[in-house]
Amino acid sequence: MSSFLEVRGLVVRYGGIEAVKGIDLDIHRGELVTLIGANGAGKTSTLNALAGLLKPAEGQIRFEGELLTSTPIHQLIQRGLALVPEGRGVFPRLTVEENLSMGAYTRKDKAGIRTDLDQIFHSFPRLFERKHQKAGTLSGGEQQMLAIGRALMGKPKLLLLDEPSMGLAPLMVQTIFSVIRRVASEGMTVFLVEQNARLALQAAQRAYVMEGGVIRFNASAEECLNDPRVRSAYLGEES
Ligand SMILES: Nc1ncnc2c1ncn2[C@@H]1O[C@H](COP(=O)(O)OP(=O)(O)OP(=O)(O)O)[C@@H](O)[C@H]1O
Ligand SMILES: [Mg+2]
């Protein structure tokens, strides 16, 4: 049986630099999987290749059994892949509410869209209070919430998140992680790239550890939390 998302021999190059050196990943339907690793390990390059933002130099990506390599981005979104990129990318001149509506542009189920919008406003009361405010005037953390909310409005099958906790105050990190856990528990498949390895491992079922463009190992999140290599390199503990 092929997995929900199956990556084989993925290579990403920038000119002469090989950022991702032939990695394999398997993500099963309904899982919350995290990819952790130091700065420059190749996490964003991996995620951007999965989301169709950059073309892999080599390798195959299969989503629900179909080959994605060279599928245009709008088709990836229609097929159910959504990326919340590093550094957010909301539409600054549109209001909060307009940004969220844009996220649902592939959907036709008006009632479902309404319910999901209410759910997002319920999860992120800050966004509700600011629904008529232009997104460009939101704080960094609020923009991050909006970017996640917008991705959720598309009801993706696979949500790709690049460092959702970056630069956020602890309380906002908690809010964002509780939303990630909730959507995962409701059945959405989530692939989460995080620098905050402890938080990511506490939320995820499984983890891949990336170093220098390769996957060093993968294991259950619980095993990773107890692994001396992970503890010393990523959880800031003495080995
Ligand atoms: N557009 C680019 N041009 C050239 N090199 C790049 C480009 N983007 C990334 N790289 C290089 O590829 C390597 C992997 O970068 P990437 O952004 O994927 O790492 P990362 O694991 O996401 O790091 P971080 O935790 O800092 O976000 C780095 O050495 C980086 O300098
Ligand atoms: Mg990155």
Side-chain angles (χ1 to χ4, degrees), residues 81-123:
L81 255 117
L83 169 71
V84 179
E86 201 175 40
R88 289 132 205 167
V90 297
F91 303 115
R93 289 164 194 272
L94 299 185
T95 66
V96 166
E97 199 163 31
E98 287 163 346
N99 266 276
L100 291 170
S101 302
M102 291 287 290
Y105 79 99
T106 58
R107 295 173 62 183
K108 305 237 152 38
D109 56 322
K110 283 224 168 69
I113 292 172
R114 187 72 241 172
T115 307
D116 286 346
L117 187 64
D118 288 344
Q119 176 65 258
I120 284 161
F121 282 145
H122 179 77
S123 301

Side-chain angles (χ1 to χ4, degrees), residues 12-15 17-20 35-48 54 86 162-163 166 193-195 210 213:
V12 176
R13 287 196 195 102
Y14 303 102
I17 300 171
E18 197 163 87
V20 178
L35 174 65
I36 59 175
N39 291 120
K43 305 181 298 297
T44 296
S45 302
T46 300
L47 216 51
N48 287 350
L54 53 86
E86 201 175 40
D162 198 352
E163 311 249 12
M166 189 166 54
V193 165
E194 257 297 335
Q195 286 263 342
M210 192 166 195

Side-chain angles (χ1 to χ4, degrees), residues 163-221:
E163 311 249 12
S165 78
M166 189 166 54
L168 301 190
L171 216 58
M172 281 206 188
V173 173
Q174 272 182 32
T175 305
I176 279 172
F177 266 75
S178 74
V179 171
I180 295 170
R181 284 172 194 265
R182 179 176 56 74
V183 298
S185 75
E186 288 169 1
M188 193 177 286
T189 309
V190 180
F191 190 45
L192 168 68
V193 165
E194 257 297 335
Q195 286 263 342
N196 189 331
R198 187 181 307 277
L199 209 56
L201 291 171
Q202 282 165 353
Q205 282 124 38
R206 227 151 46 72
Y208 287 90
V209 179
M210 192 166 195
E211 285 171 12
V214 302
I215 300 293
R216 272 288 163 241
F217 58 97
N218 77 87
S220 75

